[in-house]
Amino acid sequence: MDPNLREAISAEIGWACRILLVTHVGPDGDAIGSLLGLGSLLRARGKEVTLACEDPVPESYRFLPGSDQVVQEASGSYDLVIGLDCSDRQRMGDVVSENLAALPLVNIDHHVTNGRFGTINWVDASAVATAQMVLTLAEELGWPVTRQVAICLLNGLVTDTRSFRTSNVDMAAMRAVLRLIEAGASLPEIARQALEQRPLASVRLWADAVDRLRLEDGILWTSVTLAMRQRWGMDENDFSGLANSLSGIREARAVVVFTERDNGLIDVSMRAAPGLNVAQAAVRLGGGGHPQAAGCTLEGDLPQVQERVLAEVGQSLSEQRAGAG
Ligand code: 5GP
Ligand code: MN
């Protein structure tokens, strides 16, 4: 890690007493893992820490130590805000209200699309997870990594890499895994809890969504409507993983899953086949992500959003083909 950044972050944390840690709306395993991991590290330094996320912790990550301490609103007063795994300010949601806007904001993230919205921005797109960056910070600052911290951070690495199967997995990621296992985290247990276990209702809902799959110009896409979720009683925050499961389908150059959220917004989840990039289309639609896995959140009714997104993804993929040829 850049020594100047390390010193700057260390200084901000050094003087702050009350620290607000925020992760992104619709949190995934890296969001919750890096939030809980850094929270626990900072508490061990004597800091008063609030862990916040606008949406509740998904069922899959409630096994993580400290997951019951995450709040959905932050009303106290703070000296410092740290954003984790948030590629832009909107991803922090309404947790960071207007009256916190004047506070120093440390932005720690691994998305290549990060908008550098903090007063200090530590963005490392070579890290497979924000949790990997939190481990780097702890090690560089000489903070002991307890078993509890290791479990949370390993959860971030396991989920963002789908158990080390994504194309960005490298030696640095695997070395981080070894250190987290040495610190007491169990890789099989985390993989089972975070990736394997799911309610039957989610598979029933997948079946409905698979029924509606369409393959058009190499884009494999489907939708999960409010009515479909209600039919199986699936909460929006507990329903995930469908885009990942579809991403290996040979005929697909890209996968897009549209999910109607309770608030009327439409969550768009995109995946690209190796060598292709969906982050470009996501950014054009106001979202972000990684080359192989990206997303955005849009207003509008489902058919409108589908048309707009599929056109943008199609356009972006054909530009990439033209560029490559
Ligand atoms: P997923 O499809 O698993 O929800 O998200 C894939 C990737 O895209 C993640 O890195 C996630 O942070 C990013 N992403 C998903 N939705 C949005 C969004 O609405 N805005 C931004 N900026 N990034 C998103
Ligand atoms: Mn992440």
Side-chain angles (χ1 to χ4, degrees):
M1 134 175 225
D2 175 345
N4 293 328
L5 263 175
R6 182 183 57 221
E7 290 320 309
I9 294 173
S10 167
E12 287 291 351
I13 290 172
W15 70 260
C17 297
R18 292 156 307 176
I19 306 179
L20 173 63
L21 299 189
V22 183
T23 196
H24 61 79
V25 297
D28 56 21
D30 187 29
I32 299 299
S34 55
L35 181 76
L36 297 176
L38 184 58
S40 179
L41 286 162
L42 292 176
R43 284 195 179 125
R45 315 307 300 163
K47 305 295 173 183
E48 200 180 297
V49 180
T50 300
L51 308 177
C53 179
E54 191 176 290
D55 293 310
V57 175
E59 188 64 45
S60 313
Y61 311 124
R62 299 221 183 119
F63 76 99
L64 293 173
S67 60
D68 54 340
Q69 291 162 19
V70 179
V71 296
Q72 288 175 252
E73 274 170 43
S75 51
S77 65
Y78 307 98
D79 308 315
L80 174 66
V81 180
I82 302 181
L84 289 160
D85 207 39
C86 296
S87 57
D88 56 54
R89 190 177 273 279
Q90 289 69 39
R91 294 286 281 165
M92 297 200 296
D94 292 333
V95 164
V96 182
S97 55
E98 284 298 307
N99 52 352
L100 299 179
L103 289 178
L105 169 61
V106 176
N107 163 19
I108 302 180
D109 182 38
H110 71 128
H111 291 95
V112 66
T113 59
N114 189 285
R116 300 185 171 268
F117 54 90
T119 44
I120 296 177
N121 298 288
W122 179 28
V123 179
D124 181 0
S126 76
V128 296
T130 298
Q132 184 184 343
M133 299 174 70
V134 172
L135 176 65
T136 300
L137 184 70
E139 291 181 330
E140 295 217 8
L141 296 178
W143 298 346
V145 175
T146 61
R147 176 166 176 271
Q148 171 176 345
V149 170
I151 292 169
C152 297
L153 298 183
L154 187 53
N155 187 72
L157 276 93
V158 165
T159 53
D160 258 22
T161 60
R162 292 190 278 127
S163 211
F164 311 102
R165 289 183 292 156
T166 52
S167 58
N168 56 353
V169 172
D170 59 4
M171 289 296 284
M174 298 316 286
R175 285 194 193 101
V177 174
L178 282 183
R179 295 198 296 271
L180 293 169
I181 293 173
E182 270 165 6
S186 161
L187 177 56
E189 177 61 9
I190 292 170
R192 187 181 71 83
Q193 296 261 19
L195 296 177
E196 303 290 338
Q197 293 237 297
R198 56 179 55 87
L200 177 59
S202 75
V203 181
R204 303 264 195 230
L205 180 49
W206 281 7
D208 285 357
V210 168
D211 229 22
R212 301 168 58 130
L213 270 176
R214 306 271 298 268
L215 181 66
E216 289 168 348
D217 295 332
I219 304 174
L220 185 69
W221 66 276
T222 189
S223 305
V224 176
T225 63
L226 219 61
M228 287 161 71
R229 278 202 294 109
Q230 280 160 355
R231 177 173 180 212
W232 298 112
M234 279 306 296
D235 185 279
E236 57 186 0
N237 297 301
D238 291 334
F239 180 74
S240 66
L242 179 58
N244 286 338
S245 304
L246 297 173
S247 67
I249 291 183
R250 286 212 174 89
E251 291 84 347
R253 295 195 298 142
V255 169
V256 185
V257 176
F258 299 88
T259 305
E260 281 184 333
R261 290 189 66 91
D262 295 342
N263 61 8
L265 296 178
I266 295 172
D267 178 281
V268 184
S269 201
M270 307 175 186
R271 298 291 181 274
L276 293 170
N277 175 324
V278 281
Q280 183 185 49
V283 167
R284 288 181 189 166
L285 291 158
H290 309 290
Q292 313 265 246
C296 59
T297 309
L298 297 173
E299 284 177 35
D301 64 12
L302 191 58
Q304 262 174 1
V305 169
Q306 285 165 342
E307 195 183 324
R308 183 167 162 221
V309 170
L310 294 171
E312 198 66 64
V313 173
Q315 170 73 25
S316 170
L317 292 182
S318 56
E319 284 169 22
Q320 290 170 42
R321 192 157 41 184

